[in-house]
Each structure stands twice: as C-alpha cells, then as structure tokens.
C-alpha cells in the first residue's frame, strides 16, 4: 500500500490534490489529508468522500490528521503517529502544499517572519522529520509558485540560490538573514526584495535542489521536485486567476503517480504544467 501525505489540504490546491489522488491512484493507496484546523480538516475529508468515493478504485482510502507545520509539537506528534501506525519506513509521497501569504503590498518584519515561518522554515522542519520515514523510490514534492522563480529576486540572491555548492546551512542563513533584515529595516541596504512570499518560494525551490544533491547516493533513490501550479482560482490566487483547482493540481498529482524511472533524470528540478521549466 502506498502512503501519501498532503499538507494544508482542507481547501484550495491541497484539497484538489487529495481529491485527484483519490480518483487517479491505480494501486492501493492511503492518503492523509492534513490541516492545522481539526474541524476544517474533518469537514474537508467528509466533502471529498461524499463527492468522489463512489469513483475510487478498490484499496483507496483518505483519512485526516491534524498537522500545523509551524508548531514543533504538532510535527513531532504527527511523525510519531506515522511510526506507531505504519513503521519506521512508511511514506511513499510527501506533498508540501501548506502555505501562507498576506494580502496587499504591506511588508515588515512580522510579514517576513510569518510568511517564511510557514512556507520555508515549517516546510523544512516537517520534511527533515519525514526524510527518515521515506520508503524506497519515495518522492517529496514542494508546491512552489510562479513567484518562486529566480527572476523574482535580485541577481546577487539568484547566484546564491542557484549555486551547485549551496548547502542547508547557507540556505537557512540567507532565509534567516532576510527575516532579520526585514525587522531591522535593512532589506534595501542588503539587496533583498520586499517580497516575503517570493523569497519563501525561491528558498523552498532551492531546498528541493539541495535535497536532490544531498540524497543523490541514497540507496532508496528518492525524488525531489518543486512545482509552479500556475495562477489558480483559490483564496490565495483570487477569482481572476485563469486556472481551476483541478488544472492547477495536475503537475503535483502527475509527479506523485508517474513511474519513478521517468522522473529520476529530473531530480531536484522545477516543474510547470507537467514539464521541466526554467527556474
């Protein structure tokens, strides 16, 4: 049985990913819809079941578990639940979808801290805990963004993020320094953009690349990929977006279900609409 985890899945892209995985999975699969709000998560689970369960293949199931990726104890409780329920190497796919964005142009230290706290640092903390639980040919998929492209940060940052020698210590340091600089009003002086969401998503895309290098010789043959789902009609994307949720989730669902041999040469790359895209 495959075990798939989707974070931030009570609405929007996360909800759509869980729904489409349930509909498209061809082998026995257990999908965990996770969300920080227990009531909203359970309501989302009930909605997916009532909407699609009669179309699932035999052996497909969806369950809910509370998970707030910004709270260490929540991550620890979830990881312990997985270990006690399924064993030490149990996860086939982790889809890091949980995200946060503020409305409007306002930018300060609190905005930077909240945005990177979820989109980057929370995602990294969860992923680092799950890495040891990944099964053979497991895959970890990150929901990035069109704002996660290198062109959205200054040239000096582009060179750091795209370096083939970038490691986790350096990546964490630049993300932390961005937040510290936002609190001190030093972003312009240091060459940082006043765009916390872009910095968080470029950071998480760089993280996928770092992981691919770090685990290149791991005998489990893990796959890592970052996805730009496009501009999608969600609470975050707004009503003017051209893509539906079902269109936006096509790439992460494809990466979760595709034959691993077809993905291996693209490890650590940036994807857009099922194809490798220029980062």
């Amino acid at each position: 049985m495959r075990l798939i985890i989707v974070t931030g899945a009570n609405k929007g892209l996360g909800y759509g990913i869980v729904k489409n995985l349930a509909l498209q999975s061809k082998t026995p699969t257990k999908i965990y819809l996770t969300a920080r709000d227990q009531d909203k998560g359970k309501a989302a689970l009930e909605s997916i079941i009532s909407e699609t369960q009669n179309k699932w293949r035999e052996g497909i199931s969806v369950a809910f578990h509370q998970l707030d990726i910004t709270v260490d104890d929540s991550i620890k409780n979830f990881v312990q639940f997985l270990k006690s329920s399924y064993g030490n190497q149990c996860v086939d796919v982790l889809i890091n979808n949980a995200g946060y964005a503020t409305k409007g142009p306002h930018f300060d230290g609190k905005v930077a801290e909240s945005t990177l706290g979820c989109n980057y640092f929370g995602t990294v903390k969860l992923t680092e805990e799950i890495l040891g639980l990944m099964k053979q040919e497991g895959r970890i998929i990150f929901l990035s963004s069109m704002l996660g492209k290198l062109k959205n940060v200054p040239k000096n940052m582009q060179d750091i993020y795209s370096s083939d020698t970038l490691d986790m210590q350096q990546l964490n340091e630049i993300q932390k320094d961005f937040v510290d600089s936002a609190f001190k009003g030093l972003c312009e002086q240091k060459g940082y953009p006043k765009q916390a969401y872009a910095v968080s998503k470029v950071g998480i895309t760089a993280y996928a690349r770092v992981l691919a290098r770090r685990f290149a010789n791991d005998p489990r043959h893990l796959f890592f990929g970052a996805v730009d789902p496009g501009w999608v009609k969600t609470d975050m994307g707004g009503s003017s977006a051209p893509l539906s949720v079902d269109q936006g989730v096509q790439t992460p669902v494809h990466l979760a279900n595709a034959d691993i041999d077809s993905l291996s040469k693209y490890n650590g790359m940036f994807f857009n609409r099922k194809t490798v895209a220029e980062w």
Side-chain angles (χ1 to χ4, degrees):
M1 179 190 76
R2 286 198 310 167
L3 184 65
I4 300 178
I5 300 160
V6 185
T7 67
N10 63 286
K11 63 179 181 178
L13 288 168
Y15 180 97
I17 289 168
V18 172
K19 183 185 79 172
N20 280 275
L21 283 171
L23 289 170
Q24 297 180 34
S25 293
K26 296 178 181 179
T27 58
T29 301
K30 181 76 172 264
I31 306 162
Y32 272 98
L33 180 162
T34 71
R36 62 182 179 180
D37 187 296
Q38 187 135 326
D39 291 337
K40 290 179 180 178
K42 288 182 176 179
L45 173 63
E46 290 175 7
S47 176
I48 286 176
I49 290 173
S50 64
E51 185 181 351
T52 65
Q53 189 176 32
N54 63 333
K55 300 176 185 176
W56 298 352
R57 289 179 172 86
E58 185 177 351
I60 307 299
S61 64
V62 182
F64 169 74
H65 199 286
Q66 193 277 338
L67 174 62
D68 185 339
I69 66 169
T70 67
V71 177
D72 289 352
D73 284 346
S74 182
I75 293 175
K76 289 176 183 176
N77 290 340
F78 180 58
V79 170
Q80 186 54 47
F81 162 77
L82 293 173
K83 288 180 179 179
S84 61
S85 301
Y86 302 101
N88 287 332
Q89 280 200 349
C90 57
V91 179
D92 291 275
V93 183
L94 169 63
I95 300 181
N96 283 301
N97 169 75
Y100 172 83
T102 55
K103 298 284 187 181
H106 178 68
F107 175 83
D108 59 16
K110 288 184 178 180
V111 168
E113 182 177 55
S114 297
T115 306
L116 271 74
C118 178
N119 299 355
Y120 179 78
F121 292 109
T123 298
V124 168
K125 283 181 182 178
L126 174 66
T127 302
E128 292 294 321
E129 291 289 337
I130 296 290
L131 276 164
L133 304 185
M134 297 302 294
K135 287 162 65 175
Q136 187 80 12
E137 298 184 348
R139 51 198 86 183
I140 297 180
I141 300 159
F142 300 90
L143 268 290
S144 186
S145 166
M146 63 182 73
L147 292 176
K149 292 188 174 184
L150 283 173
K151 68 180 182 180
N152 293 296
V153 296
K155 182 66 168 62
N156 63 312
M157 294 181 73
Q158 292 178 24
D159 292 341
I160 296 171
Y161 283 127
S162 62
S163 170
D164 289 336
T165 61
L166 179 71
D167 60 25
M168 279 310 299
Q169 181 178 345
Q170 294 168 317
L171 182 54
N172 284 333
E173 283 175 357
I174 192 172
Q175 301 298 93
K176 288 175 183 175
D177 189 58
F178 171 76
V179 175
D180 290 342
S181 298
F183 272 111
K184 296 173 183 176
L186 297 175
C187 281
E188 282 191 54
Q189 182 178 326
K190 289 194 172 186
Y192 290 136
K194 292 185 176 181
Q195 297 179 23
Y197 189 78
V199 171
S200 74
K201 291 299 186 179
V202 173
I204 215 64
T205 303
Y207 179 46
R209 290 164 56 90
V210 170
L211 286 172
R213 292 195 296 270
R214 182 171 139 200
F215 287 88
N217 297 317
D218 191 286
R220 290 172 295 172
H221 304 291
L222 302 179
F223 171 82
F224 306 92
V227 176
D228 167 19
W231 185 15
V232 182
K233 287 185 177 72
T234 62
D235 287 352
M236 193 180 294
S239 58
S240 299
L243 299 178
S244 68
V245 168
D246 284 340
Q247 290 173 316
V249 304
Q250 287 179 5
T251 304
V253 170
H254 169 73
L255 294 179
N257 286 335
D259 181 80
I260 195 70
D261 290 336
S262 70
L263 298 178
S264 58
K265 66 181 178 181
Y266 303 117
N267 207 354
M269 292 191 179
F270 184 71
F271 293 83
N272 181 344
R273 308 289 290 164
K274 292 191 182 180
T275 61
V276 176
E278 181 181 354
W279 182 35

